[in-house]
Amino acid sequence: WPTLYPKFDKVPVKITNDQRAIQDVLAGTSSTSKDIQELKLYDKAGKINRHCPLLDSIRVHLATKQRDGRRVLGKDLLDTFAAPPYGWDPNAVRVGLAALVRAAAVRVIIGGKTYTNPNDRELVDCLRVSRQFDKAELVLEDEDIDPTVVTEVREFLIRLTRSRKIDETPAALSETAGNVATN
């Protein structure tokens, strides 16, 4: 097995409840299940660790394909990481992708419509349901947003709207800022 799957040791996790894990990661739940803890998606501060082996591998794969001008569909991503040299659980890959969506590092295109907000019901369903995920196009975001900037913008919007129910994602901040601007 080590000869066939030399990269298996990076993510030797089998997800038992992928539906719950995907929903928890997209919701930003701080109390994570055993499955998510084993993936090591979060750092000690409770933020998504973009440099964990799973997320780093997904980002490198998407960046390579995009640089070559090729589209990446969900099925292609799962096929790549389930086959040698990886041999990873496809559910773990979907949970990892959900973490990248939550961190605003990946956007998902479903039927020509782009989704970036982890609270969108269509996006959650797409990541949870395998048939929908297989057809979704995955696009790596070019720019990394500094987490301190996101935190400062969120604090400003909380003071402005007097509502603490603002997610700490660029999509949620943008939506809230748009609502403030129109009112």
Side-chain angles (χ1 to χ4, degrees), residues 4-174:
L4 243 146
Y5 297 106
K7 296 185 179 182
F8 179 77
D9 290 342
K10 288 185 176 182
V11 185
V13 178
K14 179 150 178 61
I15 303 295
T16 54
N17 189 352
D18 62 321
Q19 304 290 314
R20 187 83 216 136
I22 290 170
Q23 287 178 332
D24 286 349
V25 168
L26 286 174
T29 307
S30 58
S31 60
T32 58
S33 67
K34 182 181 177 235
D35 290 338
I36 297 172
Q37 289 173 354
E38 289 176 353
L39 287 175
K40 298 180 178 100
L41 295 177
Y42 296 98
D43 59 12
K44 291 179 182 177
K47 302 286 184 191
I48 292 178
N49 179 10
R50 293 181 184 212
H51 301 293
C52 80
L54 175 61
L55 301 185
D56 197 41
S57 297
I58 292 172
R59 286 178 43 222
V60 168
H61 177 73
L62 290 174
T64 304
K65 295 291 185 183
Q66 280 180 226
R67 188 183 61 238
D68 295 341
R70 292 186 272 168
R71 294 179 354 151
V72 178
L73 299 178
K75 181 173 178 26
D76 301 333
L77 186 74
L78 295 181
D79 290 346
T80 298
F81 288 110
Y86 297 97
W88 297 345
D89 179 26
N91 293 333
V93 175
R94 287 191 2 237
V95 171
L97 190 69
L100 288 173
V101 168
R102 175 79 189 164
V106 171
R107 56 189 155 106
V108 180
I109 301 173
I110 307 166
K113 187 175 177 189
T114 302
Y115 293 90
T116 57
N117 188 348
N119 294 326
D120 277 333
R121 193 76 230 150
E122 293 85 10
L123 177 62
V124 174
D125 289 342
C126 175
L127 293 176
R128 287 180 49 235
V129 179
S130 298
R131 289 184 186 173
Q132 290 179 7
F133 181 74
D134 288 347
K135 299 173 191 171
E137 183 179 349
L138 312 170
V139 179
L140 186 67
E141 289 289 343
D142 292 332
E143 295 181 26
D144 282 335
I145 299 172
D146 186 21
T148 57
V149 172
V150 174
T151 304
E152 289 174 10
V153 169
R154 180 175 180 263
E155 289 172 0
F156 174 74
L157 287 173
I158 287 172
R159 279 184 276 154
L160 195 61
T161 62
R162 295 186 182 109
S163 171
R164 297 192 63 77
K165 295 183 180 185
I166 302 172
D167 254 351
E168 197 168 314
T169 61
L173 297 175
S174 174

